[in-house]
Amino acid sequence: MPVLNRINEFHDELVAWRRDLHAHPELAYEERRTAAFVAGKLRAFGVDEVHEGIGGTGVVGVVRAGGSGRSIALRADMDALPISEETGLPWASKTPGRMHACGHDGHTTMLLGAARYLAETRRFDGTVYLIFQPAEEGLAGAKAMLEDGLLDRFPFERVFGLHNWPWTEPGRFGVHGGAVMAASDEFRIRIEGRGCHAAMPHLGRDPILAGSALVQALQSLVARETDPLEALVVSVTCFNAGDAYNVIPRTAELVGTVRCFRPDLRERAEERLRVVARNVAAAFGVEADIAYRRGYPATVNDPELAAVCAEVAAEIVGEEGILRDPPPSMGAEDFAFMLEQRPGAYLWLGQGGAEEGRLLHSPFYDFNDEVLPHGVSYWARLVERLLPAGG
Ligand code: NI
């Protein structure tokens, strides 16, 4: 695998950093040790500027070379998950109930490796912003950094992300020319009925029956209102009501998620969910109180930049290592907030392990250290390609 030689030379150090981070996982916005680790390494590598405390625990390193005004940003995420690790590995989490089960330890390590290479070699012309963000897992650390003035302070023109992918073999990159990950929204529907004796249902208004009808009716948004060639998921994931066998309760609560790629579909799904919930409730003589929260937008690559990323990745793993336009994932990713602001691309870095159960967010997951040089080489070459020295 023709990874950059200089990067292969410090593969052992990359592995050591990755395992250190893995052993010390921290949850969203609590990444204090991790952020200090990152900032310390960046300073040791001699990057030009290190900024901490952006959007909470975010860190930005700045590396400059030459005199051009061009700039790009590379982004990694630093947070772990509230999962108890069961790998039994020597570098397993030392904190009960906390685990790097999504490989953000690997992402942070690869961007650190790139920082070291870029600060040392500086074979580019422009400014590289190395963004280490907090809270990718559900709490929108990318958005927090943007709201904390990320773009004002570090005015990058294009932005790139990388995520390990256990469903793709090591040594391959998945590159999408458009949508990569879905938008993710959350709904809570509180159904207000009238409680009564279970033996005299006609005296009350049963929120459980209304809720059951609603669970089914909501699937019509997918099955009967959406083009079958478009992706939409509506999942009811909690249905809470009642606590006695002989009492019809007063309320029920349904919680769930809506996933899709297209903004117009997202708008329509919310609007239709509200209409269906209100009207099903009306049909059963109960009230529906609907809270709908927009989560992450869809992660959508710029097709031209994605094509450049594919060429750069092919320099490392060969053309046969590029998986073009694999089916996108209905999972979500807060890098989407950065791609809403600036064009760029988010690639999947194959690492294998899915067949052995090392899936993202599983207690048996571990980042595959074998692919660290691929990721670092990709970052390094991407910078040299997009900010060419003497170009
Ligand atoms: Ni992740």
Side-chain angles (χ1 to χ4, degrees):
M1 224 54 82
V3 301
L4 297 177
N5 285 336
R6 177 64 192 122
I7 289 162
N8 256 342
E9 282 165 24
F10 59 85
H11 191 177
D12 289 352
E13 284 173 82
L14 293 170
V15 172
W17 305 341
R18 207 285 295 177
R19 292 180 181 180
D20 184 313
L21 292 168
H22 189 89
H24 300 95
E26 295 171 301
L27 295 183
Y29 298 117
E30 294 172 4
E31 307 93 335
R32 280 177 282 276
R33 182 190 184 276
T34 310
F37 182 98
V38 165
K41 287 270 180 278
L42 292 176
R43 289 196 182 95
F45 302 152
V47 311
D48 299 297
E49 296 169 26
V50 180
H51 302 265
E52 294 175 81
I54 301 163
T57 42
V59 180
V60 177
V62 185
V63 194
R64 293 194 180 85
S68 94
R70 312 225 52 192
S71 60
I72 68 171
L74 312 178
R75 166 275 200 179
D77 38 17
M78 302 190 290
D79 56 320
L81 284 156
I83 292 175
S84 292
E85 180 157 355
E86 293 180 43
T87 62
L89 291 165
W91 54 89
S93 170
K94 293 190 196 306
T95 313
R98 304 280 183 270
M99 179 185 176
H100 269 296
C102 199
H104 299 186
D105 48 347
H107 304 164
T108 297
T109 298
M110 292 188 290
L111 194 53
L112 282 174
R116 173 170 172 175
Y117 173 90
L118 293 169
E120 186 179 294
T121 56
R122 304 205 190 225
R123 285 198 283 268
F124 62 94
D125 186 359
T127 304
V128 182
Y129 299 107
L130 306 150
I131 302 173
F132 296 86
Q133 75 152 78
E136 192 286 320
E137 300 289 357
L139 293 177
K143 191 171 176 220
M145 289 187 84
L146 288 164
E147 287 172 353
D148 199 12
L150 184 73
L151 267 166
D152 300 327
R153 296 172 65 184
F154 312 103
F156 52 86
E157 297 168 325
R158 289 162 290 177
V159 64
F160 299 88
L162 193 58
H163 203 293
N164 77 94
W165 209 246
W167 298 273
T168 301
E169 317 95 282
R172 298 195 80 181
F173 284 82
V175 187
H176 298 79
V180 191
M181 310 286 287
S184 166
D185 297 336
E186 176 189 331
F187 60 84
R188 288 176 177 269
I189 304 170
R190 188 183 147 89
I191 299 170
E192 182 91 29
R194 190 162 70 230
C196 64
H197 196 300
M200 304 165 205
H202 59 294
L203 300 179
R205 293 282 185 218
D206 184 355
I208 293 180
L209 187 63
S212 304
L214 180 53
V215 170
Q216 304 206 32
L218 286 175
Q219 290 310 315
S220 69
L221 269 58
V222 179
R224 298 293 103 165
E225 296 187 20
T226 304
D227 181 334
L229 299 178
E230 285 293 333
L232 175 69
V233 176
V234 178
S235 292
V236 175
T237 54
C238 311
F239 189 155
N240 298 318
D243 47 21
Y245 89 99
N246 55 0
V247 178
I248 290 174
R250 186 170 60 87
T251 63
E253 189 184 45
L254 273 60
V255 178
T257 186
V258 175
R259 309 286 174 115
C260 62
F261 298 105
R262 283 186 18 203
D264 59 330
L265 195 51
R266 193 181 189 196
E267 292 293 330
R268 208 193 67 216
E270 175 178 353
E271 183 193 313
R272 290 291 301 151
L273 180 139
R274 290 180 182 278
V275 170
V276 170
R278 271 198 306 271
N279 286 286
V280 168
F284 285 81
V286 299
E287 301 274 339
D289 181 39
I290 305 149
Y292 196 98
R293 189 181 68 83
R294 293 288 176 102
Y296 296 172
T299 303
V300 183
N301 286 346
D302 177 277
E304 285 171 27
L305 288 173
V308 174
C309 291
E311 286 175 26
V312 169
E315 288 176 29
I316 298 152
V317 295
E319 187 56 39
E320 66 284 2
I322 307 302
L323 195 58
R324 287 178 193 277
D325 292 313
S329 165
M330 297 309 290
E333 161 63 59
D334 85 340
F335 185 65
F337 289 111
M338 297 206 182
L339 285 179
E340 280 190 331
Q341 299 297 321
R342 291 292 181 271
Y346 175 88
L347 267 55
W348 289 346
L349 173 62
Q351 74 142 25
E355 273 148 43
E356 296 82 42
R358 292 196 301 279
L359 297 166
L360 300 178
H361 296 209
S362 147
F364 300 101
Y365 173 87
D366 189 39
F367 185 90
N368 182 355
D369 291 320
E370 188 194 323
V371 306
L372 289 168
H374 297 135
V376 180
S377 297
Y378 166 71
W379 282 141
R381 288 295 301 134
L382 187 65
V383 168
E384 291 171 352
R385 169 73 182 265
L386 291 174
L387 303 176

